Amino acid sequence: MAALMDFDKALELFEPVIGLEVHVELNTKTKMFSSAGNPANEEFHAAAPNTLIAPVDLGLPGSMPVVNREAVLSSISLGLALGCSIAPSSRFARKNYFYPDLGKNYQISQYDEPIAFEGSVEVELADGTLVEVPIERAHMEEDAGKLQHQGGSAGRIQGASSSLVDYNRAGVPLVEIVTKPIFGAEERAPELAKAYLLTIRDIARSLGISEARMERGNVRCDANVSLRPRGASTLGTRTETKNVNSMRSVERAVRYEIRRQAAILADGGTITQETRHWHEDTGETSPGRPKSDADDYRYFPEPDLLPVAPSEELIEQLRARLPEAPAAKRRRLKAEWGFTDLEFQDVANGGLVDEVEATIAAGASPAAARKWWTGELTRVANAAGREATGIVSPAHVAELQRLIDEGTLTDKLARQVLEGVAAGEGSPREVVDARGLAVVSDDGALIAAIDEALRAQPDVLEKIRGGKVQAAGAVIGAVMKAMKGQADAARVRELILERAQA
Ligand code: ADP
Ligand code: MG
């Protein structure tokens, strides 16, 4: 394990500089350069290997790429939402390297003429502080396929005896958003990385150009980190930690790299410019490959594609259609929902604004929606090592709350129902029926249980008649226990009091 310096100590000696590269998968119907399907996550992941492909995606001889118009429109919208200028003419370029998951042996990307450049995005930190993150460019490119390593442990290449390749993802449209080096975040650099990623995700969702589910790999982040001695004016050597695919991980990875690099530098060592891998289980990074300079990719303009030249008019149409920026939207929602600063930050920091909004739209009160997402759902997600957003849908949460409000479920029963929903047993209503979890408010069943409890505590009715109404508590408790928490406690109490008066 690498030596690590205490984080505060590292910050005393060095200034951290970070740069973030975020890939957003677009939800276009077809691929970037072919007519092969690009279905939504669920269908995509259910597809058999190498069924979502066309000759272009395999680089077969004679096949020619055609630019996907929808992908261009989505990229322009994203560029505009990031405050970028849109290039009147931008070009695709070939990035050459050998890797078996790209049949052509080059990736069509953009290099010196990206579609969008020079922007900035407003990012809100956990305590509400606003930070402007400068954007260098956003460019279009195609995704690569996926290798499946066989015979090793946990699908890793180490120890594998062979590898299979699935080209379904090859050619899926991506936009890569690259920040300029970000200075001045200081000890909040890890937190800023996380908040930035969350903001990009929210922007992509608000534009409707991506499902933007991090746990599905729709949004992926490479985190560049370097340190320089306090007072230095040149940048230090950076490392690029690849594919940190959750908001929590990006924060941890940046923090880890700051501590690791500081220990090396303080010891008189040098940082190797390299890519690094993030290990979710140990919370460490490990060396990947030495990082090539752009020259090594032998970029050259893609001869099979014309430049993309959107008209001024088209750009203005797309600009007019931009949704409210997530930061502005958050301010509006906070007021509408009547949350305190802390309540709202809880929601925002969990990346749950959209979920709470959708849950309210599905009928829950703002307070109930907030409690579910920041409370029980976050707890369940953390325990399972997943994102809360991947566990249940907002509609299900609203339904669960409705079942509580109408008395079908107690809070406790609702938590059991949630387990069933998270396990894929169906909607809350279906889980209630299948598991028989509804609160029993049928008087017949309740009276039978009360009679049973009264036989064990025959003096209770006398006590109640004598004015000690709280004596009913012991009987309510016994009834609840006998009915495994499924009795309607309020009705049980009424029935006991009625009995005492009889
Ligand atoms: P690459 O092709 O190596 O991925 P990019 O230009 O796509 O290069 O992205 C590099 C990222 O690293 C950018 O976000 C850039 O701002 C950032 N960056 C460049 N130099 C440094 C540095 N010394 N320290 C931290 N970040 C850096
Ligand atoms: Mg890059």
Side-chain angles (χ1 to χ4, degrees):
M1 191 186 136
L4 299 180
M5 185 182 281
D6 174 69
F7 185 74
D8 295 335
K9 178 82 184 153
L11 262 293
E12 247 170 60
L13 298 176
F14 302 102
E15 178 195 354
V17 177
I18 59 173
L20 300 162
E21 300 167 67
V22 176
H23 286 91
V24 179
E25 265 182 7
L26 301 179
N27 60 359
T28 49
K29 284 193 198 64
T30 57
K31 288 190 179 175
M32 188 73 221
F33 302 113
S34 83
S35 58
N38 175 39
N41 281 316
E42 215 146 299
E43 194 184 327
F44 195 100
H45 289 273
N50 297 307
T51 54
L52 300 170
I53 50 173
V56 167
D57 308 314
L58 302 179
L60 296 186
S63 60
M64 289 290 246
V66 176
V67 176
N68 182 332
R69 181 184 156 85
E70 278 306 311
V72 173
L73 298 183
S74 296
S75 305
I76 294 174
S77 295
L78 182 53
L80 291 171
L82 298 169
C84 289
S85 304
I86 303 302
S89 173
S90 81
R91 258 198 312 193
F92 288 100
R94 289 189 182 180
K95 183 180 185 182
N96 298 281
Y97 55 93
F98 172 72
Y99 211 63
D101 58 11
L102 252 182
K104 304 192 298 302
N105 276 337
Y106 58 83
Q107 178 192 29
I108 306 180
S109 180
Q110 296 193 299
Y111 181 47
D112 49 356
E113 296 182 43
I115 190 156
F117 56 95
E118 292 285 329
S120 85
V121 52
E122 189 179 48
V123 174
E124 193 172 326
L125 298 182
D127 67 353
T129 309
L130 295 175
V131 179
E132 285 286 335
V133 171
I135 304 292
E136 182 173 302
R137 63 176 197 271
H139 66 251
M140 297 182 280
E141 61 185 29
E142 56 179 340
D143 211 340
K146 263 189 177 168
L147 294 181
Q148 294 178 1
H149 304 297
Q150 311 288 304
S153 68
R156 298 209 166 181
I157 193 166
Q158 288 83 1
S161 53
S162 63
S163 299
L164 300 173
V165 57
D166 174 7
Y167 288 105
N168 280 354
R169 204 178 64 180
V172 166
L174 295 178
V175 179
E176 177 176 350
I177 304 161
V178 183
T179 69
K180 296 185 176 179
I182 304 167
F183 303 98
E186 296 294 347
E187 77 283 0
R188 307 187 79 173
E191 185 195 345
L192 178 59
K194 171 184 169 183
Y196 171 78
L197 192 55
L198 174 60
T199 305
I200 297 297
R201 187 202 72 169
D202 287 350
I203 289 174
R205 279 203 189 159
S206 71
L207 291 167
I209 60 170
S210 172
E211 278 183 81
R213 299 254 309 261
M214 299 213 55
E215 74 281 6
R216 286 294 202 178
N218 302 146
V219 179
R220 311 196 283 265
C221 179
D222 303 336
N224 295 266
V225 176
S226 71
L227 298 182
R228 59 181 178 185
R230 296 258 154 225
S233 56
T234 53
L235 284 170
T237 303
R238 68 180 156 116
T239 60
E240 178 182 349
T241 304
K242 305 290 276 181
N243 289 326
V244 257
N245 292 338
S246 78
M247 286 174 286
R248 202 167 90 87
S249 308
V250 78
E251 179 169 21
R252 290 170 74 204
V254 170
R255 194 179 166 88
Y256 179 87
E257 273 301 287
I258 291 174
R259 297 182 59 197
R260 188 188 67 85
Q261 293 182 17
I264 294 172
L265 293 171
D267 204 32
T270 50
I271 304 301
T272 314
Q273 181 163 330
E274 62 187 1
T275 64
R276 296 186 67 87
H277 302 293
W278 168 247
H279 304 281
E280 188 65 51
D281 44 353
T282 57
E284 294 171 25
T285 65
S286 66
R289 61 183 156 93
K291 180 69 187 183
S292 316
D293 286 324
D295 290 352
D296 297 338
Y297 291 120
R298 302 176 342 272
Y299 277 102
F300 64 87
E302 166 61 65
D304 289 342
L305 292 170
L306 290 167
V308 173
S311 67
E312 190 70 30
E313 199 186 339
L314 174 65
I315 295 171
E316 290 317 311
Q317 270 173 18
L318 292 170
R319 192 194 304 279
R321 267 189 250 149
L322 286 183
E324 191 179 15
K329 180 174 168 182
R330 283 216 284 271
R331 284 190 283 273
R332 174 174 62 77
L333 290 177
K334 175 168 177 281
E336 279 178 22
W337 294 343
F339 289 176
T340 65
D341 285 350
L342 272 179
E343 285 170 346
F344 193 81
Q345 278 160 21
D346 226 18
V347 175
N349 297 340
L352 299 167
V353 173
D354 289 346
E355 283 66 31
V356 169
E357 187 185 21
T359 306
I360 294 168
S365 71
R370 177 179 62 75
K371 280 194 200 122
W372 273 111
W373 285 103
T374 60
E376 187 61 16
L377 289 168
T378 298
R379 237 189 328 277
V380 171
N382 287 344
R386 295 165 65 185
E387 301 264 338
T389 50
I391 291 185
V392 274
S393 69
H396 283 163
V397 177
E399 189 180 331
L400 211 47
Q401 183 60 41
R402 200 152 46 239
L403 291 169
I404 294 175
D405 293 343
E406 74 190 23
T408 304
L409 293 177
T410 60
D411 286 353
K412 196 163 155 220
L413 289 171
R415 284 198 288 276
Q416 291 180 44
V417 173
L418 176 64
E419 270 171 33
V421 175
E425 292 170 25
S427 71
R429 184 76 245 180
E430 285 163 354
V431 174
V432 166
D433 293 343
R435 291 197 182 187
L437 285 174
V439 165
V440 177
S441 45
D442 163 46
D443 284 357
L446 294 179
I447 288 169
I450 290 169
D451 286 344
E452 182 71 38
L454 284 174
R455 266 194 289 284
Q457 310 178 60
D459 52 342
V460 169
L461 293 183
E462 270 316 312
K463 286 185 184 161
I464 294 174
R465 289 189 196 110
K468 284 182 74 181
V469 179
Q470 66 272 31
V475 179
I476 298 171
V479 170
M480 290 305 275
K481 194 164 169 214
M483 300 186 70
K484 299 198 179 65
Q486 284 178 241
D488 176 347
R491 185 64 190 147
V492 171
R493 187 184 151 83
E494 276 171 20
L495 289 171
I496 295 169
L497 297 184
E498 273 172 28
R499 176 66 57 89
Q501 275 154 24

